[in-house]
Amino acid sequence: NARRVLTLLAFLALCAVMGRAFAQGGAPLAPKTPKPAIAIAGTGRVPRDEFEARASQALREFQQRSGGTATPIEISDVIRRQVLEGMIRMQLLAQEAARTGVRVDNATAEEQMKASPFFNPNGTFDASRFLMVKSTQPAAFAAARANVASQLAARRLNEQLVERFRPSESEARAQATRA
């Protein structure tokens, strides 16, 4: 379940970066003034607009899964908090991955980018679109690739940490039996 959340967050980050790149017509992705942040995690920021977009998406998905009924405010608050905590966790994992040397190469990041819906209109990869963006908007493409590589490194570090600290099956059974 945590892996799905991390995958969703990385995917949404990629979509946000690529969407911004094309909305700005190839202008650099880094704004001159930082966007308002809802949280600061280490040296990273969690922009409010990205948080709101992800929280809205999570609420829509919850509503669809629960039969389309209105989401109670208590549940809505919990979902929003979980989205924010996930975004903060990703920021911190990305920073720790960079600090500890967990890296993802450009080819792996580009392969992940190719899976983005932006490059897959109607469910089919559009190589010409990918190459066009890569050649006509190199700064935006490089920034998106760096962002994806950072997110993938964070995910890789998270998997390493889960594997390292997860109790063995026999230990988990013993704890459950004692409980």
Side-chain angles (χ1 to χ4, degrees):
N1 198 16
R3 185 175 288 168
R4 281 190 207 147
V5 170
L6 290 174
T7 302
L8 176 63
L9 292 176
F11 172 73
L12 291 173
L14 170 65
C15 290
V17 168
M18 294 307 295
R20 258 188 290 160
F22 293 103
Q24 294 176 356
L29 289 179
K32 291 179 178 49
T33 58
K35 292 183 177 184
I38 192 163
I40 296 175
T43 59
R45 301 167 53 85
V46 177
R48 181 174 291 280
D49 58 346
E50 285 183 34
F51 163 71
E52 293 297 341
R54 291 183 190 177
S56 295
Q57 177 66 29
L59 287 167
R60 279 193 302 275
E61 288 176 9
F62 178 82
Q63 194 170 20
Q64 287 174 348
R65 290 181 183 170
S66 64
T69 60
T71 306
I73 191 73
E74 297 84 13
I75 302 283
S76 175
D77 288 344
V78 168
I79 291 171
R80 289 175 60 82
R81 187 190 79 234
Q82 288 177 342
V83 168
L84 180 60
E85 287 174 358
M87 292 176 76
I88 291 169
R89 187 178 312 109
M90 283 301 289
Q91 282 284 337
L92 294 174
L93 281 167
Q95 291 169 33
E96 184 64 10
R99 187 186 74 77
T100 58
V102 177
R103 304 264 188 266
V104 172
D105 62 359
N106 286 341
T108 304
E110 285 186 22
E111 284 303 313
Q112 183 72 27
M113 290 172 71
K114 288 178 180 178
S116 165
F118 181 80
F119 295 119
N120 289 280
N122 302 320
T124 306
F125 176 65
D126 186 350
S128 62
R129 179 182 271 191
F130 183 80
L131 292 173
M132 181 192 68
V133 170
K134 189 174 183 177
S135 62
T136 61
Q137 300 182 12
F141 187 83
R145 184 179 55 214
N147 187 29
V148 169
S150 174
Q151 298 300 314
L152 289 173
R155 205 179 322 162
R156 186 175 288 171
L157 176 62
N158 186 59
E159 290 169 1
Q160 291 172 0
L161 292 172
V162 166
E163 189 63 33
R164 180 176 168 194
F165 293 109
R166 178 181 24 210
S168 69
E169 189 173 330
S170 59
E171 290 172 342
R173 285 185 191 276
Q175 284 179 339
T177 303
R178 283 192 302 270

